[in-house]
Amino acid sequence: MAAGAAAALAFLNQESRVRAGGGGGLRAPGPVTMDSFFFGCELSGHTRSFTFKVEQEEDTEHVLALNMLCLTEGAKDECNVVEVVARDHDHQEIAVPVANLRLSCQPMLSLDDFQLQPPVTFRLKSGSGPVRITGRHQIVCINNDLSEEEESDDDSEEEIKLCGILPAKKHRGRP
């Protein structure tokens, strides 16, 4: 398998496709769509780093939620330190070690949806791996572009809702 293909695997996962609109008299800015894609990469002596980046789009937010880091077949009994390079709240680049894996004592680590904003770089600081990193790439889109047709449908629905309640008809002979 080519190093580029082994470095990044992204498969469409239809586990969460949610569409939501306004409700209860409150109006949302627009329909919200959330997609979730499987993410995976492998760090080794041949591929010591991998950068996950996305194209920034207006009204779209990307989140990388990490689930697990684990040593895979062919790993030696040595310390494999994995570090994440991302941006902090001041948009300054920061490097943080997130795992120290060793085949004989801790071959895997659960990160329980550790969420990061792209771009994110994973580095194998020490050891030869291979270390597999898995998670989910979540994309949240808010569509603020309402066509005139959708707006006119909303207006007509509001008019129907605003119609008064008609009194019940009285039937003769019934109390």
Side-chain angles (χ1 to χ4, degrees), residues 151-165:
E151 288 179 3
S152 67
D153 287 345
D154 290 343
D155 292 341
S156 64
E157 287 177 19
E158 288 181 27
E159 289 174 10
I160 293 170
K161 291 178 186 175
L162 296 177
C163 290
I165 299 174

Side-chain angles (χ1 to χ4, degrees), residues 66-133:
L66 300 179
N67 292 332
M68 186 174 296
L69 284 88
C70 65
L71 293 171
T72 58
E73 186 178 347
K76 299 175 186 171
D77 193 24
E78 61 186 0
C79 288
N80 291 276
V81 177
V82 177
E83 133 180 303
V84 173
V85 181
R87 302 213 176 261
D88 65 8
H89 66 284
D90 291 328
H91 300 288
Q92 300 296 316
E93 193 172 271
I94 184 171
V96 178
V98 292
N100 186 351
L101 303 175
R102 188 177 187 109
L103 197 58
S104 62
C105 63
Q106 186 173 358
M108 64 185 239
L109 176 67
S110 175
L111 294 176
D112 195 32
D113 282 346
F114 181 61
Q115 296 185 357
L116 299 164
Q117 296 279 329
V120 178
T121 300
F122 302 99
R123 289 188 197 150
L124 186 58
K125 288 299 284 185
S126 68
S128 57
V131 176
R132 172 70 61 175
I133 302 170

Side-chain angles (χ1 to χ4, degrees), residues 164-172 174-175:
I165 299 174
L166 300 175
K169 294 182 181 178
K170 293 183 181 180
H171 297 284
R172 294 191 177 239
R174 291 189 185 174

